Amino acid sequence: MSEYSPQTIEKKWQQRWAERQTFEVAAESSKPKFYCLVMFAYPSGHAHVGHVRNYMIGDVVARMKRMQGYHVIHPFGWDAFGLPAENAAIQNKVHPRAWTLDNIAHMKGQLQRLGISYAWEREIATCLPNYYHWNQWIFLKMFERGLAYRRRSTVNWCPSCLTVLANEQVIEGQCWRCSSEVDARALEQWFLRITAYADQLLDGIDRLTEWPEKVLTMQRNWIGRSEGARVQFLLTGDTAVPIEVFTTRLDTIYGATFILLAPEHPLVEEIATTANEPEAFRERVRRFRTQDRTARLTGDIEKEGFDTGRRATNPFTGEDVQVWVANFVLGDYGTGAVMGVPAHDQRDFEFAQKYNLPVRVVVQSDEDATSLSEFEEAYVGSGRLVASEEFSGLPSAEARVLMTQVATDRKIGEGAVQYRLKDWGISRQRYWGTPIPIIHCESCGLVPVPYDKLPVELPDVTAFSGRGDSPLAQVPEFVNTTCPTCGTDARRETDTMDTFVDSSWYYYRYCDPHNKALPFDPEAVRYWTPVDFYSGGVEHAILHLIYSRFFCRVMRDLGLVEHDEPFTRLLTQGMVLKDGAVMSKSKGNVVDPDDMMATYGADTLRLYEMFVAPPEKEIEWTDTGLEGSFRFLSRVWRLVEPLAARVRDAGQPSANLDDTERAMRRKTNETIHRVSRDLDPRVHLNTAVSALMELVNDLYVFCDKAGCGPRARQSETSDIRPETAAVLREAIEALVLLMAPFTPHIAEELWERLGYSEGLIAAQWPKIDSSVAGPDTVVVPVQVNGKVRARLTVDTGRSDADLEADALVDPQVQGHLAGKTIVKVIVARGRLVNVVTK
RNA sequence: GCGAAAGUGGCGGAACUGGCAGACGCGCCGGAUUUAGGAUCCGGUGGCCGCGAGGCUGUGGGGGUUCAAAUCCCCCCUUUCGCACCA
């Protein structure tokens, strides 16, 4: 008998898979298709055991589906643009491309050593021109349809690094790199009009029945639809300028006793010019606007405001109300102006208290009529209107409908829907991203780069200082060009795209990764998509997954794809923790899969990560748990390896079996059932593994009895009873096949030793044998008043009436019935008896 | 503050439509084997009481429904995650 030597086995099979291109997949097949996708990787350098968990989960699903007869596409690629490469370039004087490609090479090796069954021939890297070409192509299609546009917007600006920062790069109001206070600055930026699809993205959520509820809730909140109305208050003065406000509570408008403008509201500057002391006015506005941006956004700031001195007319009451500028009003939501209803909005209430503004109750709850003197907080619920002229007495909901109608008729407002979702700012002043394919011409304006001039390739910048604007702006050969329309001198756009653009459609490119004429052939995508199973980290619950849903719809409208939703089923996998914390280089708690594989092999690592918890849950890394998995695989090896040659020629189990053999067959069958069910539709990989462990435990006992187990080495040459050999072969083959998705290398090796030379790719998922008889007897617990007092061993299928009789004559049961009156006896579907007494 | 999810042995976790709580693994204890250790194999392992048979108790806490509750309902506590002035 040989030792279990994972290093030898794993190398052998990985080579064979590569040579035979086992996991490459043809364009079409007569089999049903299955698209198994895991989120592609950012090539940061080294994958740790937390990153690879997701790839293992996907691999289990892909390998199982192949064995179940599906034509499986299981691709992988690299989300290869992004800031870290540029930072590495600054720090280590390496070109981002070299850094990225080196990392990809290393990480690809890691995945191959793990034995993940990818169709590597379809590998993509977003930083290569043959990929980002199509980012540019899609961008231009969106530009043509008005879905990509340019406008000024407020961004985070670091005055020391002289660059724009993403929201994630602003930590407590400071630059993550140099800790300078971040300013708000208005810049021309490119946006994608995701808000045009807001309603579709929201409605589509209801049809995502195979996504985690948590993710759907997050997306709903992110989109944040609110129904209400826009109403105009007229600013009093020489010219009656309208101030439009958005409200979801038009029913409270009779209680609107002031107007609040965001510091960014366009009217603020206009009002400033007519103020008594314009400069002091502007200074106060400026102070609000430069208040810590993050704090303002999180509401972690004292509510402040000041009276502009101007008045506006409430269109319903006809009264003039004060117009204030307030720091807590958001400039980029709704109209940037709100009506202040202190009696029915908590924020307005606090504001009114602070500045002694009038409070007027206009809605009263049905239960208790609130009077003003009792007010300690705003009443924000619905109720019946009071002090609202002809609307008084109406319930809030009805009043909103009627008042919206009245506002529309009087042309002072209309019903409106607002979304929290904002258009997606994709401009990045960075080098390592997709160049935006636009040319700025003085006479023609924004001119798209013609399709036949794509891709606009990144020039070879070599000096990365980390300062200044977009590095592309400093490359004259890149910037200076001619206008495609009029031929005069023109400038290229120097912003690059957010890398979330790259990841919004990569799953389509896998279907046709080498296409040189289009992002992909719609036929290929029609065949493979939508993605049947998608697995990745929950941190992408909103960003990537909502952007992809958006891109999917845009591509549908472009006639490129035919479905509305790209991912049918989503699994969000939990993180791997070490010492209670997420693994990270800076914490120094990363576990390198290569270290683990060197000691225990890839199969052990895979098995451990699949067994220790359900895929959705986070897991705490333990070395002892890993050893346990190694122990199990060694145990399988010690059992199967010496037995394989002895049972490989055994026939089918006959009817002529003894009790032990029949029980063994039942266990085999039961394990097939449990593992199949746990893998699909549930993806309960941990319980599937425990079912396999039980089978192995039973096999040890069985072999022990049959005198052919690991403990009976001396009998290796002795004969095994033919019936026993047949039962063993059946059990062992099922075991090996069921293990194959989890631990493919050891499974391949044992499968070969069982006499199959074509590999597991040619093997089929084991089927339940319905001819295997169930057990002759079952154990039925008997309860007295809900407590188990005895267990009866009875023939299978014994009637409930007989069971009741059996229970009542049982001596144990009788002992507990002494001196009591039986009220009734319940027999639960032949599984349990409960005697109820008084 | 709002919303969602989750609380089960020393630990990770099982438990189908309410029906034997703790599968499987880790750890621990004992035994076999071994010069010894490791490895391996076998057995035990929620808590309390009992020599034992056995009894009591037990799924965050408190109520409730039910013959029967980890599972269903109500209240509370804790943890995690998400959102966070969205008018």
Side-chain angles (χ1 to χ4, degrees):
Chain A
M1 186 179 78
S2 65
E3 280 282 295
Y4 171 47
S5 168
Q7 285 75 15
T8 317
I9 295 173
E10 291 175 3
K11 203 171 168 194
K12 166 182 166 182
W13 288 99
Q14 285 165 14
Q15 276 177 2
R16 194 167 295 183
W17 294 331
E19 281 161 16
R20 298 187 180 174
Q21 304 202 315
T22 306
F23 307 117
E24 302 303 339
V25 57
E28 285 189 37
S29 163
S30 55
K31 301 184 218 170
K33 71 94 183 176
F34 190 87
Y35 192 160
C36 178
L37 181 69
V38 292
M39 290 183 187
F40 66 169
Y42 181 77
S44 57
H46 295 254
H48 60 59
V49 294
H51 297 126
V52 300
R53 184 182 183 197
N54 191 34
Y55 313 141
M56 297 171 175
I57 293 167
D59 201 40
V60 172
V61 171
R63 286 178 180 270
M64 173 199 62
K65 283 286 171 185
R66 277 191 205 103
M67 292 173 77
Q68 289 182 342
Y70 288 86
H71 189 219
V72 175
I73 185 171
H74 186 213
F76 198 72
W78 309 96
D79 188 11
F81 271 138
L83 270 176
E86 229 164 309
N87 293 338
I90 295 162
Q91 278 158 24
N92 310 330
K93 310 274 177 242
V94 198
H95 192 278
R97 182 181 299 106
W99 184 85
T100 303
L101 296 180
D102 278 357
N103 288 347
I104 288 175
H106 178 81
M107 290 171 71
K108 183 172 178 180
Q110 287 186 302
L111 297 180
Q112 287 170 329
R113 286 190 289 282
L114 279 162
I116 312 285
S117 64
Y118 290 130
W120 282 111
E121 195 267 333
R122 294 172 182 264
E123 177 182 10
I124 58 178
T126 58
C127 66
L128 300 178
N130 67 15
Y131 186 86
Y132 67 71
H133 180 159
W134 305 109
N135 276 347
Q136 295 173 340
W137 188 93
I138 295 163
F139 177 91
L140 291 181
K141 292 288 178 193
M142 292 173 110
F143 182 72
E144 285 167 12
R145 296 182 163 233
L147 292 171
Y149 66 95
R150 198 168 147 87
R151 71 164 155 88
R152 280 183 89 73
S153 105
T154 309
V155 293
N156 305 302
W157 179 263
C158 174
S160 160
C161 302
L162 302 174
T163 186
V164 168
L165 299 174
N167 283 339
E168 306 79 52
Q169 292 152 14
V170 181
I171 297 152
E172 291 176 349
Q174 300 181 339
C175 172
W176 66 311
R177 200 183 307 168
C178 69
S179 296
S180 312
E181 287 290 325
V182 170
D183 294 342
R185 175 172 287 207
L187 280 182
E188 288 276 321
Q189 299 272 292
W190 283 97
F191 288 87
L192 299 185
R193 205 180 297 279
I194 189 171
T195 53
Y197 288 83
D199 51 347
Q200 288 189 40
L201 290 169
L202 186 66
D203 294 346
I205 288 173
D206 295 335
R207 293 192 294 275
L208 295 173
T209 53
E210 295 180 66
W211 282 37
E213 196 53 46
K214 175 187 168 144
V215 173
L216 300 180
T217 305
M218 283 166 74
Q219 292 216 351
R220 274 192 200 99
N221 293 340
W222 188 262
I223 295 169
R225 181 189 149 100
S226 13
E227 245 171 84
R230 288 168 186 258
V231 193
Q232 288 170 7
F233 284 59
L234 288 183
L235 196 65
T236 57
D238 303 340
T239 50
V241 187
I243 303 176
E244 196 173 42
V245 301
F246 173 74
T247 178
T248 56
R249 293 298 305 274
L250 191 59
D251 54 314
T252 65
I253 196 166
Y254 279 85
T257 51
F258 49 92
I259 288 284
L260 298 174
L261 300 177
E264 292 82 6
H265 196 282
L267 224 46
V268 169
E269 174 53 29
E270 220 176 299
I271 294 174
T273 57
T274 63
N276 290 336
E277 295 175 61
E279 264 325 298
F281 189 110
R282 288 197 182 94
E283 182 46 41
R284 301 172 92 165
V285 174
R286 201 170 305 128
R287 202 173 61 76
F288 282 169
R289 291 174 70 148
T290 54
Q291 261 173 345
D292 184 332
R293 207 173 136 74
T294 12
R296 245 190 98 189
L297 285 171
T298 55
D300 191 20
I301 205 166
E302 170 94 21
K303 288 181 181 47
E304 284 185 86
F306 64 88
D307 188 357
T308 62
R310 298 289 291 273
R311 298 289 178 267
T313 311
N314 181 326
F316 275 77
T317 64
E319 287 172 336
D320 285 350
V321 299
Q322 300 182 22
V323 179
W324 288 56
V325 175
N327 64 345
F328 67 94
V329 177
L330 303 173
D332 55 359
Y333 181 78
T335 61
V338 299
M339 60 184 203
V341 186
H344 305 292
D345 182 287
Q346 187 58 24
R347 296 155 300 185
D348 297 345
F349 182 74
E350 287 165 25
F351 194 78
Q353 291 231 305
K354 178 165 181 172
Y355 295 108
N356 261 318
L357 294 163
V359 178
R360 185 183 300 159
V361 176
V362 292
V363 176
Q364 283 191 334
S365 84
D366 293 331
E367 295 87 58
D368 59 321
T370 328
S371 77
L372 190 53
S373 57
E374 297 163 7
F375 254 51
E376 280 171 17
E377 55 180 19
Y379 173 67
V380 298
S382 290
R384 241 164 237 287
L385 271 63
V386 295
S388 300
E389 296 183 319
E390 72 263 36
F391 305 104
S392 295
L394 288 175
S396 293
E398 262 178 55
R400 281 197 286 271
V401 175
L402 185 61
M403 292 166 91
T404 304
Q405 189 55 51
V406 168
T408 311
D409 293 345
R410 289 167 53 193
K411 297 198 174 12
I412 52 168
E414 59 188 347
V417 175
Q418 274 298 325
Y419 294 94
R420 186 183 166 283
L421 180 73
K422 298 190 179 69
D423 276 342
W424 172 14
I426 59 158
S427 280
R428 294 292 179 267
Q429 289 71 30
R430 292 290 175 169
Y431 169 75
W432 197 230
T434 305
I436 292 174
I438 291 287
I439 290 166
H440 298 266
C441 171
E442 291 215 355
S443 43
C444 309
L446 298 173
V447 182
V449 172
Y451 287 101
D452 61 4
K453 294 289 193 303
L454 296 183
V456 177
E457 288 205 35
L458 278 174
D460 246 326
V461 173
T462 48
F464 292 94
S465 63
R467 305 183 66 85
D469 341 325
S470 172
L472 291 181
Q474 288 151 29
V475 184
E477 316 83 278
F478 178 83
V479 176
N480 299 323
T481 185
T482 52
C483 172
T485 309
C486 69
T488 58
D489 287 350
R491 290 172 30 252
R492 277 189 201 282
E493 171 65 56
T494 57
D495 283 349
T496 52
M497 295 182 201
D498 183 2
T499 56
F500 278 106
V501 172
D502 314 355
S503 54
S504 293
W505 67 280
Y506 74 102
Y507 42 91
Y508 293 132
R509 183 70 180 173
Y510 283 140
C511 300
D512 187 17
H514 309 297
N515 198 317
K516 290 193 168 65
L518 283 171
F520 47 82
D521 174 4
E523 277 303 314
V525 164
R526 179 186 327 196
Y527 175 74
W528 285 113
T529 61
V531 171
D532 296 283
F533 177 85
Y534 193 27
S535 168
V538 74
E539 66 273 18
H540 295 108
I542 294 177
L543 294 167
H544 162 60
L545 290 169
I546 216 164
Y547 293 149
S548 293
R549 295 182 59 225
F550 164 52
F551 260 58
C552 169
R553 285 170 168 76
V554 171
M555 292 182 145
R556 177 201 61 197
D557 293 347
L558 289 168
L560 290 166
V561 309
E562 291 180 348
H563 50 265
D564 295 334
E565 292 289 345
F567 314 123
T568 304
R569 171 155 196 197
L570 177 72
L571 184 144
T572 52
Q573 124 270 359
M575 288 183 295
V576 178
L577 309 181
K578 175 87 191 293
D579 310 321
V582 180
M583 285 188 191
S584 75
K585 246 185 253 174
S586 57
K587 291 201 187 78
N589 62 347
V590 289
V591 178
D592 190 317
D594 285 304
D595 295 343
M596 299 301 114
M597 288 192 278
T599 315
Y600 300 105
D603 283 339
T604 293
L605 181 60
R606 294 170 58 120
L607 187 73
Y608 167 66
E609 294 203 34
M610 298 303 98
F611 172 62
V612 72
E616 293 86 352
K617 271 202 75 161
E618 57 187 29
I619 60 182
E620 172 70 30
W621 182 268
T622 62
D623 290 340
T624 49
L626 190 70
E627 282 167 27
S629 292
F630 181 73
R631 209 142 45 209
F632 171 71
L633 292 180
S634 305
R635 208 165 136 78
V636 170
W637 183 264
R638 277 196 303 276
L639 176 79
V640 179
E641 192 268 342
L643 228 40
R646 303 176 69 195
V647 302
R648 58 193 277 179
D649 298 319
Q652 294 298 313
S654 68
N656 189 22
L657 303 178
D658 65 26
D659 286 351
T660 319
E661 286 157 353
R662 287 212 309 270
M664 192 66 241
R665 288 203 75 195
R666 278 199 298 275
K667 185 68 181 180
T668 301
N669 232 13
E670 179 197 316
T671 305
I672 294 169
H673 173 72
R674 281 173 62 186
V675 173
S676 304
R677 186 201 60 195
D678 282 352
L679 254 46
D680 187 20
R682 311 153 45 146
V683 187
H684 291 195
L685 308 184
N686 56 328
T687 50
V689 174
S690 48
L692 292 170
M693 289 173 166
E694 281 187 48
L695 178 61
V696 171
N697 290 344
D698 276 21
L699 271 166
Y700 263 68
V701 174
F702 180 77
C703 289
D704 210 20
K705 282 184 189 161
C708 61
R711 289 205 295 159
R713 274 176 224 168
Q714 67 280 10
S715 65
E716 254 179 65
T717 51
S718 67
D719 285 342
I720 303 175
R721 195 172 100 93
E723 287 80 1
T724 303
V727 169
L728 266 178
R729 196 189 81 158
E730 180 182 65
I732 287 172
E733 288 190 357
L735 171 68
V736 168
L737 292 171
L738 295 172
M739 282 173 70
F742 297 92
T743 55
H745 310 87
I746 188 175
E748 288 275 20
E749 183 64 27
L750 293 175
W751 191 241
E752 187 178 57
R753 288 167 191 244
L754 282 161
Y756 298 93
S757 58
E758 288 171 38
L760 286 165
I761 194 71
Q764 283 184 4
W765 193 249
K767 289 191 179 61
I768 293 165
D769 184 345
S770 53
S771 71
V772 172
D776 300 332
T777 60
V778 285
V779 175
V780 176
V782 182
Q783 300 179 330
V784 177
N785 293 325
K787 287 179 187 172
V788 178
R789 298 302 184 183
R791 288 167 211 283
L792 307 173
T793 302
V794 299
D795 290 345
T796 308
R798 194 160 171 81
S799 76
D800 286 359
D802 289 344
L803 278 175
E804 178 174 340
D806 294 345
L808 293 177
V809 299
D810 185 90
Q812 287 282 346
V813 176
Q814 288 202 328
H816 286 275
L817 293 177
K820 290 174 179 162
T821 317
I822 296 173
V823 178
K824 61 174 160 176
V825 179
I826 287 146
V827 182
R829 285 161 292 173
R831 297 218 303 262
L832 176 140
V833 181
N834 190 10
V835 184
V836 187
T837 68
K838 239 192 318 203

